[in-house]
Amino acid sequence: MSKPLAIGIAGLGTVGAGVANLLRSNAGLIASRAGRPIVVTAVSSRDRNKDRGVPLAGLRWYEDAVALAADPGVNVVVEAIGGSEGPARALVEAALAAGKPVVTANKALLAIHGRALAALAEQKGVTLAFEAAVAGGIPAIKALREGFSGNQIRRVAGILNGTCNYILTEMRIRGLQFAEVLREAQKLGYAEADPAFDIDGIDAAHKLAILAALAFNRPVAFDEVHVEGIREISAVDIAMAEALGFRIKLLGIAEHGEGGVSARVHPCMVPLSAPIARVDGVFNAVVAEGDAVGRVMLEGRGAGGGPTASAVVADLIDIARDRHSPVWGAEQSALSHAPALPMQRHRGAYYLRLMVLDRPGVIADVTAVLRDAAISLESMLQRGRAPGEAVPVVLTTHECEEAAMQAAMSRLAALDCVLEKPALIRIEAL
């Protein structure tokens, strides 16, 4: 068997320790599939005394992560630090500049700096691998970049954040409000103490930017992704969605049409008949639509030490076997420069919920606003009567343009019979 592939791991949290454990526990199987042993020879972390559940004796230890890139005994650097700046970025840049392959699970780094990092990797002729950066153990990267490489991909979408999917699932099953479920998710470790990165859609947007770049062979462009989170989803909306035959999910959706590429993250109502509507809890799912393959959905655990380590080790095996793919599926010179489409150009159907005073003429006022915006109604649902008090009125529309809907929303919010900000959720037929 060939000489072992020597790995340096920077960051020994859930991901880094998970990789070290998997390489140790499945060493024989991994060696047979890689054609040679893959062994950890060096690590970097700030605390040498913390018990990480994996033996670290005999490994070279660096407090400065960037030093791993200069270690002559390290063939491949695994970056498991996280974050788009600081030591993670410095390490990846240093390793690529030194001509060493890099494996990372860092979606923020790739979404924000992936264009420059891909150019550096191509210049140096080395691999930048990131299967673990999107959807944990689901092989979404390889599916898009290699498995579907003969297809024109029209759309890629998915449930890309387990925290949000868990919250929306628990709200539906238990009839609880958002804030209650968020507190429980934090106690269970599914949500961070500061959950903004997840619940405001940023994490999902990082992942969508990566998927869109791969699907459309286009430089990664996080700043072109429209982002909304789930803070404003209420128990009323969850219940109304079920009554209308829908389920609410936070989705990332990227599409390539005649006018260009659109990428958006926001809550969606999906039909109960759609397979993605039944992906619950902390699970993720990725849906791709190609001209030859049709629609394919991949589902699984999107985070955690085991699933993420599985994806990292798959990349290490590719490197050990000298299997190499361009970062975004094609060389830099061959990438598409299709323009980005703004969210205002989006066309689709919508769910609207208004809390209005129950008095004569209210419905006429509401429908007049929609009529003036050339928005056609699909259905209307009003539950209960409380003369002179607030009642919910739910409307669904036929397809219209986002710009028209946003203008109508502003006018609806200004009506004296509307007592709070209207709720708006886009309807998607995935």
Side-chain angles (χ1 to χ4, degrees):
M1 191 171 281
S2 302
K3 180 181 177 182
L5 186 70
I7 308 301
I9 300 177
L12 290 173
T14 300
V15 175
V19 171
N21 266 318
L22 186 57
L23 288 172
R24 178 183 172 85
S25 61
N26 285 358
L29 175 67
I30 291 168
S32 67
R33 291 176 174 170
R36 51 176 163 157
I38 300 178
V39 296
V40 180
T41 60
V43 295
S44 174
S45 189
R46 287 174 294 184
D47 186 354
R48 296 189 181 218
N49 300 314
K50 183 178 178 180
D51 181 9
R52 296 171 172 87
V54 60
L56 300 172
L59 302 181
R60 295 186 298 283
W61 193 293
Y62 296 95
E63 292 183 0
D64 177 11
V66 178
L68 277 178
D71 186 330
V74 169
N75 305 130
V76 181
V77 170
V78 174
E79 185 273 305
I81 301 168
S84 62
E85 305 297 338
R89 180 183 178 186
L91 170 62
V92 172
E93 290 175 341
L96 294 175
K100 293 187 178 183
V102 172
V103 178
T104 180
N106 194 333
K107 62 268 184 181
L109 178 69
L110 290 164
I112 295 172
H113 300 295
R115 191 177 300 207
L117 294 175
L120 179 57
E122 184 175 309
Q123 176 192 341
K124 294 295 181 177
V126 294
T127 295
L128 172 59
F130 50 93
E131 184 64 64
V134 178
I138 303 173
I141 303 302
K142 285 183 173 63
L144 282 173
R145 188 173 55 200
E146 286 117 44
F148 303 151
S149 56
N151 287 255
Q152 290 279 353
I153 303 295
R154 296 183 288 257
R155 176 161 68 166
V156 60
I159 296 170
L160 303 176
N161 184 272
T163 299
C164 288
N165 204 40
Y166 171 83
I167 290 171
L168 293 172
T169 299
E170 292 297 302
M171 287 177 69
R172 186 189 84 244
I173 292 173
R174 300 166 61 194
L176 299 177
Q177 292 289 355
F178 171 80
E180 296 175 89
V181 180
L182 174 59
R183 284 194 295 270
E184 290 188 3
Q186 289 171 317
K187 290 177 183 177
L188 292 169
Y190 293 150
E192 302 289 341
D194 180 0
F197 199 69
D198 291 315
I199 65 175
D200 290 336
I202 304 301
D203 175 74
H206 285 151
K207 296 169 186 175
L208 183 66
I210 293 168
L211 291 177
L214 289 166
F216 310 133
N217 289 146
R218 190 169 176 269
V220 67
F222 172 69
D223 58 346
E224 294 173 358
V225 181
H226 174 84
V227 188
E228 298 175 25
I230 64 169
R231 289 181 190 264
E232 296 184 8
I233 300 298
S234 73
V236 172
D237 296 320
I238 299 280
M240 289 292 186
E242 292 284 316
L244 292 166
F246 294 99
R247 195 156 284 172
I248 299 177
K249 299 290 183 182
L250 181 76
L251 297 183
I253 302 170
E255 297 170 297
H256 197 318
E258 290 184 5
V261 172
S262 65
R264 49 198 169 90
V265 170
H266 52 71
C268 296
M269 285 196 173
V270 294
L272 292 173
S273 59
I276 205 166
R278 298 187 289 276
V279 178
D280 283 337
V282 296
F283 280 70
N284 282 194
V286 176
V287 177
E289 296 177 15
D291 59 349
V293 74
R295 182 179 299 177
V296 176
M297 188 174 93
L298 305 171
E299 176 188 354
R301 294 190 177 276
T308 308
S310 171
V312 169
V313 170
D315 281 339
L316 291 173
I317 291 172
D318 279 348
I319 291 169
R321 287 287 187 182
D322 292 323
R323 293 192 287 257
H324 175 82
S325 296
V327 175
W328 304 121
E331 277 71 24
Q332 298 286 302
S333 60
L335 292 179
S336 165
H337 296 285
L341 298 177
M343 188 63 188
Q344 294 294 87
R345 294 271 301 278
H346 168 68
R347 288 190 63 84
Y350 295 82
Y351 158 99
L352 284 169
R353 177 179 55 80
L354 307 172
M355 295 302 296
V356 301
L357 282 174
D358 187 2
R359 70 185 187 197
V362 167
I363 299 302
D365 291 343
V366 169
T367 55
V369 169
L370 298 175
R371 178 203 63 212
D372 292 346
I375 297 172
S376 174
L377 287 180
E378 167 75 19
S379 68
M380 184 176 71
L381 182 64
Q382 181 176 351
R383 291 286 178 85
R385 291 296 310 279
E389 297 183 12
V391 295
V393 172
V394 170
L395 311 166
T396 62
T397 77
H398 290 112
E399 188 174 291
C400 64
E401 193 165 78
E402 177 82 14
M405 178 54 70
Q406 293 297 341
M409 287 283 287
S410 296
R411 288 190 59 196
L412 289 170
L415 293 175
D416 62 2
C417 60
V418 175
L419 302 179
E420 60 184 57
K421 180 183 176 182
L424 173 70
I425 303 175
R426 297 165 189 89
I427 297 173
E428 295 288 338
L430 280 184

